[in-house]
């Protein structure tokens, strides 16, 4: 199913990725996303792509729509909903909406725990994202705990040289360095 594709005769050769995303989002808004399961995935993909480009308003909007569709399809206690909440919380973090992101990330982690997925990659990501938010709002001890949980989970799930491990180690090191715990931060860097 094609939502959008560049047309050199109409768009020229230098069309921007954001323009293509906006066109795809318009098609989705017009109901051309297919069944709700597919539409939810398309919203999630658009959210992720916008976020990777640091275009946070549409990233948040599409992440929110993905969560709403998944909740209607599966109910609130479903892995897909928890994953969607993580992505929404991360997009809100990117936009600087820390207070709105905080309860969504906590809810996602609680859902993972209830589903027996508290030691999954999604849970590890959730602990890292929650740590980022807590760090931004000055909850430093809580942020440190979340980063350490993320690191421990990542190390059981993925290779030590994976970017997720490195990112979480860096997050913890920066936090410790900002709290003048240089001897703890240096080996993490």
């Amino acid at each position: 199913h094609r939502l959008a594709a560049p047309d050199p005769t109409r768009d020229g050769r230098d069309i921007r990725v954001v323009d293509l995303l906006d066109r795809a989002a318009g098609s989705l808004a017009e109901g051309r996303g297919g069944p709700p399961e597919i539409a939810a995935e398309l919203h999630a993909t658009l959210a992720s792509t916008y976020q990777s480009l640091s275009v946070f308003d549409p990233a948040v909007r599409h992440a929110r729509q993905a969560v709403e569709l998944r909740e209607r399809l599966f109910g609130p206690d479903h892995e897909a909903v928890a994953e969607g909440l993580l992505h929404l919380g991360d997009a809100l973090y990117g936009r600087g909406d820390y207070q709105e992101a905080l309860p969504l990330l906590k809810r996602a982690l609680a859902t993972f725990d209830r589903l027996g997925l508290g030691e999954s990659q999604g849970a590890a990501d959730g602990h890292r994202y929650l740590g980022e938010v807590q760090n931004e709002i000055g909850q430093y001890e809580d942020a440190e705990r979340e980063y350490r949980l993320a690191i421990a989970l990542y190390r059981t799930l993925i290779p030590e040289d994976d970017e997720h491990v490195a990112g979480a180690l860096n997050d913890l090191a920066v936090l410790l360095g900002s709290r003048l715990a240089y001897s703890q931060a240096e080996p993490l860097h």
Side-chain angles (χ1 to χ4, degrees), residues 41 67 70 74-87 108 111-117 120-123:
E41 290 307 311
V67 168
R70 288 172 174 172
F74 308 120
D77 276 342
H78 193 277
E79 182 179 3
V81 174
E83 288 285 344
L85 289 168
L86 285 184
H87 296 297
T111 301
F112 282 127
D113 284 342
R114 274 193 307 278
L115 296 174
L117 299 170
S120 65
Q121 171 90 31

Side-chain angles (χ1 to χ4, degrees), residues 128 132 147 151 154 160-174:
R128 182 176 176 200
E132 290 171 335
Y147 288 147
I151 292 164
Y154 285 141
E160 181 72 20
D161 63 351
D162 186 274
E163 67 183 86
H164 290 86
V165 177
L169 287 168
N170 185 66
D171 291 342
L172 177 57
V174 170

Side-chain angles (χ1 to χ4, degrees), residues 129-165:
Y129 299 163
L130 182 56
E132 290 171 335
V133 169
Q134 290 170 326
N135 186 32
E136 289 295 333
I137 62 176
Q139 296 176 354
Y140 302 119
E141 288 91 17
D142 293 335
E144 181 178 343
R145 183 183 65 248
E146 295 300 328
Y147 288 147
R148 289 187 186 282
L149 284 168
I151 292 164
L153 284 173
Y154 285 141
R155 284 180 164 161
T156 66
L157 297 167
I158 55 181
E160 181 72 20
D161 63 351
D162 186 274
E163 67 183 86
H164 290 86
V165 177

Side-chain angles (χ1 to χ4, degrees), residues 10-31:
R10 183 181 64 199
D11 302 320
R13 291 176 41 105
D14 296 324
I15 188 165
R16 298 176 323 139
V17 172
V18 171
D19 295 332
L20 290 175
L21 291 172
D22 290 345
R23 190 178 308 154
S27 294
L28 191 53
E30 292 170 7

